[in-house]
């Protein structure tokens, strides 16, 4: 503990007025006359804090933290579920899309095939008609041709008869016909 | 604090860096009996009040999405809880309320002591020695109760060569008994040193020429003190955890 | 006379604070060097860092305490 003389010495050495200070010790921490008082109140304060903490504060905060971590875990699990569901839905959507596409393809194919069949039938029919018509026309042309030939024969015979008659000959019809037939054939 | 004990000062440099630590009756009078309410008492109980406000009123809504106060309370809780769990393991969690008590008292007292004209209980050896001795005695008794004579294995370093073990045992024994000394003096010394240095800077402010530097110095020291206030509370708590771990698992 | 000697002793004891500063700087610097090499392990070792700093600083505080005792209590 500081005594008066040493305090004065200190005061001289650092140029500090310590005259009034002499009664109190230099370091209040080492004034043991206060220790009992300080310890008594400190212990009371510590007990108060301990009771506050252990009875009220810590259980409450611990419960809140546990609740929060529970909530967070639950939310995470729920989010995980939702994510799985979303993935599932996407897969289903993709599958539906693929199916629909295949279906559309099928329909298109079928329609194409049907149309082609119809078309083929129609074409075949048209061809048949066309060929029938062509045959008929050919027949008609042939008839026309034969009849034309007949007419030519008749005209030629008549003309030949007339020419022979005009030339003063006495035309035998049979002979003339035979001659003309031979000429026409040749 | 307590400059009035010096009466009127003459001009010039006046340093009373330790006067802020003088214990005196809060409601007047001069003698301090064991039950007297002193400034130390008042500021200790303000620390209790601060703890109450932070941890009890802060968490009173119990909301899952915390308010600002509640998140600070949860931060303090999680900070100390994790420290205890990391260092002492699962068995240490039982002692979490005690360690939290120490931490909250020290941290609140330290920060309240940073207020101008306040008093810092943790700058007093009477306070820190009680805290450190409480830890020391608890740990020692707990060590013997939990482990019996096996607790002495703490001093017998089995991994060292046989010839060295007695020497190490003596060193370990000494370091074990120095623990409460360093534990208490570290806290009180750090807090006291910071406050005293601020007071010395404040004393320099009486000289007009250097007063800007003095104010700058006070500001810088104050910032450091804010840091030290927290770090010393942290260190005190973490060392308590380390000592507790020794009591729970004495094998090296 | 005794008082003056005590003050000289206090000043000498304060050198210990500087030594503690070197110690704390060593601890923190080595921690930083290690943390930069292996940043992933740094977070788990901050408690050890603070314990180390506390031990180093405690000795400086002892020196400071001796200085205070010499100043005020001898």
């Amino acid at each position: 503990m500081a005594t008066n003389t040493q305090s004065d010495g200190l005061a001289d050495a650092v140029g500090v007025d310590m005259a009034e200070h002499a009664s109190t010790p230099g370091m209040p921490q080492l004034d043991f006359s206060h220790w009992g008082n300080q310890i008594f109140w400190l212990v009371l304060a510590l007990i108060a804090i301990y009771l506050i903490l252990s009875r009220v504060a810590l259980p409450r905060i611990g419960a809140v933290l546990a609740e929060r971590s529970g909530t967070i875990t639950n939310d995470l699990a729920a989010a995980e579920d939702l994510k799985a569901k979303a993935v599932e839905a996407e897969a289903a959507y993709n599958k539906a899309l693929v199916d629909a596409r295949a279906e559309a393809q099928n329909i298109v194919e079928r329609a194409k095939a049907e149309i082609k069949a119809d078309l083929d039938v129609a074409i075949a029919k048209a061809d048949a008609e066309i060929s029938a018509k062509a045959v008929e026309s050919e027949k008609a042309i042939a008839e026309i041709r034969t009849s034309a030939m007949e007419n030519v024969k008749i005209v030629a015979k008549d003309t030949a008869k007339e020419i022979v008659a005009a030339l003063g000959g006495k035309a035998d019809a049979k002979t003339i016909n035979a001659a003309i037939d031979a000429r026409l054939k040749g | 604090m307590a400059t009035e004990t010096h009466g009127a000062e003459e001009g010039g440099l006046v340093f009373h860096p330790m006067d802020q630590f003088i214990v005196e009756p809060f409601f007047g009078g001069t003698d301090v009996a064991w039950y007297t309410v002193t400034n130390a008492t008042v500021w200790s109980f303000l620390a209790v009040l601060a703890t109450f406000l932070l941890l009890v009123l802060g968490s009173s809504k119990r909301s899952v999405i915390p308010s600002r106060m509640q998140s600070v309370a949860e931060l303090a809780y999680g900070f100390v809880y994790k420290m205890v769990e990391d260092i002492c393991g699962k068995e240490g969690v039982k002692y979490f309320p005690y360690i939290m008590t120490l931490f909250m008292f020290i941290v609140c007292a330290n920060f309240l002591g940073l207020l101008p004209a306040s008093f810092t209980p943790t700058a007093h050896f009477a306070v820190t020695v009680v805290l450190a001795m409480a830890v020391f005695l608890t740990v020692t008794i707990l060590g013997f109760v939990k482990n019996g004579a096996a607790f002495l294995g703490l001093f017998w370093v089995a991994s060292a060569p046989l010839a060295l073990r007695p020497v190490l045992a003596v060193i370990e024994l000494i370091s074990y008994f120095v623990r409460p000394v360093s534990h208490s003096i570290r806290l009180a010394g750090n807090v006291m040193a910071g406050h005293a240095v601020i007071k010395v800077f404040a004393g320099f402010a009486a000289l007009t020429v250097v007063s800007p530097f003095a104010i700058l110095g006070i500001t810088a020291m104050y910032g450091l003190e804010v840091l030290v206030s927290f770090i010393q509370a942290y260190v005190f708590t973490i060392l308590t955890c380390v000592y507790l771990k020794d009591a729970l698992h004495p094998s090296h | 006379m005794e008082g003056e000697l005590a003050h000289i002793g206090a000043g000498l004891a304060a050198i210990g604070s500087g030594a503690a500063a070197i110690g704390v700087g060593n601890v923190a610097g080595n921690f930083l060097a290690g943390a930069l090499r292996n940043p992933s392990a740094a977070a788990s070792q901050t408690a050890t860092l603070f314990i180390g700093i506390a031990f180093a600083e405690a000795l400086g505080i002892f020196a400071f305490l001796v200085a205070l005792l010499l100043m005020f209590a001898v």
Side-chain angles (χ1 to χ4, degrees), chain A residues 1-3 6 9-14 18 21 25-27 30, chain C residues 1-4 6-7 64-65 67-74:
Chain A
M1 295 299 104
T3 62
Q6 271 140 11
L10 174 71
D12 292 339
V14 293
M18 278 204 150
H21 202 208
M27 262 177 93
L30 295 180
Chain C
M1 184 60 200
E2 219 178 283
E4 279 83 357
H7 289 130
F64 167 73
L65 189 75
L68 277 182
L69 289 174
L70 287 171
M71 278 288 283
F72 295 113
V74 173

Side-chain angles (χ1 to χ4, degrees), chain A residues 20-21 29 37 41 53 60 68, chain B residues 6 33 36 56 64 74 123:
Chain A
E20 292 96 323
H21 202 208
Q29 279 91 342
N37 173 285
W41 288 110
L53 289 185
R60 187 189 284 174
R68 174 164 326 134
Chain B
H6 299 283
T36 313
V56 176
V64 172
E74 282 167 13

Side-chain angles (χ1 to χ4, degrees), chain B residues 157-200:
Chain B
V157 188
S159 56
L162 189 60
L164 276 179
R165 282 184 210 169
V167 185
L168 282 177
V170 173
I171 294 175
E172 289 278 333
L173 203 65
I174 293 172
S175 82
Y176 188 80
F177 282 102
V178 168
R179 274 177 180 183
V181 179
S182 68
H183 205 185
S184 58
I185 288 178
R186 181 183 300 113
L187 176 59
N190 265 299
V191 176
M192 189 206 320
H195 286 234
V197 168
I198 287 180
K199 274 285 147 117
V200 169

